[in-house]
Amino acid sequence: MSPITLTTLRSVPPVFQGQVRDLAVRWALEETGTAHQLRLVDDAERATADYRQHSPFGKVPVYEEDGLTIFETGAIVQHIAETRGLLPQDHALRARARAWMFAALNSIDPDVIALGDIDHFHANSLWAKARRPDLVTSLSIRLAAVSEALRGRNFLANEFSAADILMIMVLRGLRHTPLVSPHADLARWRDRCEARPAFQRALAAQMKTYQSA
Ligand SMILES: N[C@@H](CCC(=O)N[C@@H](CS)C(=O)NCC(=O)O)C(=O)O
């Protein structure tokens, strides 16, 4: 059996270190005690036809395991969750975890990405200044809903699962804003998740990759 290989970026600007999406995969692997090796790619390699056979948009992460190659963080984390036990056994809770996995990627991530794009790349553009307030309002309404869903629960599907991994990964895109902190249940859940030893190991490993690049 060949070792699991996780492909990620060779270098990343400091502001994005700690939120590159390989973090979610590293975290899922750490939670399940799964060893892996890293493969680092630069822009030139991501543009090649060979790379795009495995990652059609030329992005990271890419995950390889026993002849299986998976792109898209959500699909990778779901694969690890299903094969290595990061979803609840209970039928209803398992469905709830899946719903929150999709919610993280479909209902929260698009606005987080849009806000990050404005703040990191277009902060001084007129269109960005006009767009930002509505984006913040719509994100805050979504974050309040996630916080409400966490009331009385330790994790999104009661027990820790892949849903927490994906939602935390998405919300790390808001680290440069104060948007999460006003939501008490959400902020407490975030701190609970990020205090997990497996998260801390995954984060340290990602920072080590980029800080030694
Ligand atoms: N939806 C994709 C997004 C992948 C993505 O945007 N990855 C970023 C790193 S977090 C990337 O490859 N950036 C390099 C670039 O766009 O040039 C996923 O979740 O895997």
Side-chain angles (χ1 to χ4, degrees):
M1 250 195 327
S2 50
I4 288 171
T5 304
L6 172 61
T7 300
T8 191
L9 301 174
R10 184 172 295 285
S11 68
V12 172
V15 68
F16 298 123
Q17 294 174 7
Q19 69 184 59
V20 180
R21 284 156 192 262
D22 67 67
L23 181 64
V25 181
R26 294 183 198 246
W27 186 7
L29 292 172
E30 287 288 347
E31 289 283 352
T32 55
T34 311
H36 66 280
Q37 64 182 17
L38 272 190
R39 177 168 166 252
L40 303 179
V41 286
D42 55 24
D43 292 355
E45 183 168 359
R46 287 190 295 111
T48 62
D50 188 46
Y51 186 77
R52 285 182 186 239
Q53 279 201 341
H54 301 299
S55 179
F57 308 115
K59 303 283 187 182
V60 305
V62 177
Y63 178 91
E64 290 159 77
E65 178 181 8
D66 289 335
L68 188 71
T69 304
I70 312 176
F71 68 99
E72 285 293 333
T73 312
I76 298 168
V77 169
Q78 183 166 26
H79 169 79
I80 296 168
E82 281 174 354
T83 54
R84 297 174 189 273
L86 270 180
L87 284 169
Q89 287 298 316
D90 175 82
H91 190 61
L93 289 178
R94 204 174 173 94
R96 182 180 167 94
R98 278 209 201 89
W100 279 111
M101 290 167 75
F102 278 88
L105 301 174
N106 279 356
S107 298
I108 310 287
D109 203 22
D111 281 357
V112 171
I113 291 173
L115 189 62
D117 191 44
I118 285 177
D119 292 350
H120 297 304
F121 300 112
H122 302 284
N124 293 321
S125 306
L126 283 180
W127 70 263
K129 287 182 179 158
R131 172 80 181 107
R132 196 177 192 279
D134 278 354
L135 200 48
V136 166
T137 301
S138 105
L139 253 173
S140 298
I141 291 169
R142 297 275 162 112
L143 294 179
V146 182
S147 196
E148 178 66 34
L150 281 162
R151 185 156 307 151
R153 300 174 197 270
N154 281 337
F155 299 106
L156 286 165
N158 295 11
E159 63 193 75
F160 180 79
S161 75
D164 302 293
I165 292 180
L166 289 176
M167 188 67 83
I168 287 285
M169 185 204 71
V170 165
L171 295 189
R172 285 185 70 81
L174 296 175
R175 283 185 306 153
H176 67 289
T177 76
L179 290 178
V180 169
S181 313
H183 306 283
D185 291 290
L186 187 66
R188 270 196 295 271
W189 159 84
R190 174 200 57 196
D191 294 346
R192 190 179 305 125
C193 289
E194 292 191 352
R196 291 175 76 85
F199 174 84
Q200 289 297 324
R201 287 195 297 274
L203 179 61
Q206 179 174 105
M207 296 308 283
K208 189 168 167 219
T209 301
Y210 296 128
Q211 287 171 353
S212 57

